[in-house]
Amino acid sequence: MLDIQHISKTFYPGTVNEKKAITDLSLHVEKGDFISIIGANGAGKSTLFNCIAGVFLTDSGTIMLDGEDITMVPEYIRSRKIGRIFQNPVLGTAPDMSIGENLALACGKGGWLSTVSKKEKLAFREKLASLDMCLEDRMDHPVGLLSGGQRQVIALIMSTYNPPSLLMLDEHTAALDPATSEKVLTLTQDIVAENQLTCLMITHNMQSALSLGNRTLMMDQGNIIYDVKGPEREKTTVSDLMTLFKERSGKALDNDRMLLEK
């Protein structure tokens, strides 16, 4: 489904600011995989997402999606098959447009409610009502007036309205309070399961990394240092992850955010 072979990415090569962000990384993702990705700041997690999404091109290696080589394909074309939600709720929606207009944008109507059929508008309301957040009665409200959690929910619906081949969640609950974060994660699991999506999710919460989805990856210094699934993953604990990180990276985990959220 997604096959990444030996990709590397270096920023500012040949300068004093040279930074190797991804080094000879390979990853195979099966259709239907829900993979949680953890790692300290600077491990290369978001850079990996940017490489997959086409925000910038890799220096070497290949990226295949659904059997198609997308290594050199522009970001706007990849976005037809790849959905992505960011940590910042502001980035996933159009703030000056209403909830209804954002959903019209997501379903391919260019944000024009006048071109949306009554049937589609009813579908909008039903999707929003299923969230139990009273958003179905605020269809004409600008998205910019919603809370962060509400905006992330709208972004999640928009990214999956036409189910993508790959959904990438870049710490999409990190900016939310614990209660809202839990609700958004539950909704995420429901949408992924309902649409049988293939999903990659970056998280700092090590417990979530072990309990959500079917596979966990650990990254450090631009590469994958641990990949676990199945029975082995089921018996892996947060303490095990911390020990494995030290063994495979040669240093203790010192990321305060990860330690506080374990």
Side-chain angles (χ1 to χ4, degrees):
M1 189 273 165
L2 175 66
D3 192 45
I4 299 172
Q5 291 294 325
H6 305 290
I7 64 169
S8 295
K9 181 63 184 179
T10 299
F11 295 104
Y12 313 113
T15 73
V16 294
N17 295 317
E18 180 174 308
K19 168 65 176 176
K20 293 184 178 180
I22 297 289
T23 306
D24 195 33
L25 184 149
S26 295
L27 171 65
H28 181 73
V29 179
E30 297 285 354
K31 184 175 178 60
D33 269 348
F34 185 161
I35 302 176
S36 298
I37 304 173
I38 56 173
N41 291 335
K45 306 182 298 298
S46 291
T47 301
L48 173 61
F49 271 26
N50 285 333
C51 289
I52 296 171
V55 175
F56 41 64
L57 300 180
T58 58
D59 300 331
S60 59
T62 59
I63 302 175
M64 305 285 293
L65 180 63
D66 287 340
E68 176 188 357
D69 188 344
I70 63 170
T71 310
M72 303 299 292
V73 173
E75 180 182 10
Y76 76 93
I77 294 180
R78 296 191 203 191
S79 67
R80 299 170 186 170
K81 286 191 171 186
I82 299 174
R84 186 175 183 182
I85 303 179
F86 299 86
Q87 177 179 334
N88 187 346
V90 173
L91 299 178
T93 54
D96 294 329
M97 297 171 67
S98 70
I99 293 175
E101 289 169 336
N102 270 270
L103 294 178
L105 188 65
C107 75
K109 302 297 183 179
W112 299 101
L113 282 174
S114 59
T115 63
V116 177
S117 68
K118 289 183 178 180
K119 183 178 180 180
E120 287 173 318
K121 288 179 181 178
L122 180 60
F124 290 171
R125 289 187 60 86
E126 289 176 348
K127 279 183 177 291
L128 294 173
S130 68
L131 306 176
D132 194 27
M133 299 178 76
C134 300
L135 293 175
E136 68 275 13
D137 296 321
R138 304 174 65 183
M139 291 280 286
D140 59 344
H141 285 221
V143 169
L145 298 180
L146 301 179
S147 68
Q150 290 171 327
R151 290 186 70 163
Q152 283 297 60
V153 165
I154 298 298
L156 186 58
I157 291 177
M158 291 176 66
S159 294
T160 57
Y161 195 91
N162 295 307
S165 294
L166 177 66
L167 176 64
M168 299 197 300
L169 309 172
D170 195 346
E171 295 191 74
H172 70 308
T173 64
L176 309 179
D177 64 83
T180 305
S181 174
E182 185 175 348
K183 190 165 189 173
V184 172
L185 280 176
T186 298
L187 176 64
T188 299
Q189 293 179 87
D190 292 343
I191 288 177
V192 169
E194 178 184 350
N195 295 283
Q196 298 181 320
L197 298 177
T198 303
C199 181
L200 301 178
M201 183 183 75
I202 295 173
T203 179
H204 269 98
N205 189 307
M206 289 190 282
Q207 187 57 57
S208 293
L210 291 172
S211 61
L212 297 178
N214 67 309
R215 186 174 166 192
T216 301
L217 303 181
M218 181 184 292
M219 291 188 65
D220 183 58
Q221 294 185 343
N223 219 316
I224 297 167
I225 61 172
Y226 186 57
D227 182 353
V228 63
K229 60 182 178 179
E232 183 181 354
R233 181 178 186 258
E234 291 175 5
K235 64 183 182 182
T236 300
T237 65
V238 171
S239 295
D240 292 334
L241 287 181
M242 295 176 66
T243 300
L244 283 162
F245 182 86
K246 185 174 182 179
E247 290 176 351
R248 304 200 176 191
S249 69
K251 62 191 178 223
L253 184 63
D254 60 358
N255 185 286
D256 291 341
R257 186 170 166 196
M258 291 181 68
L259 293 173
L260 288 171
E261 293 187 7
K262 68 179 182 178

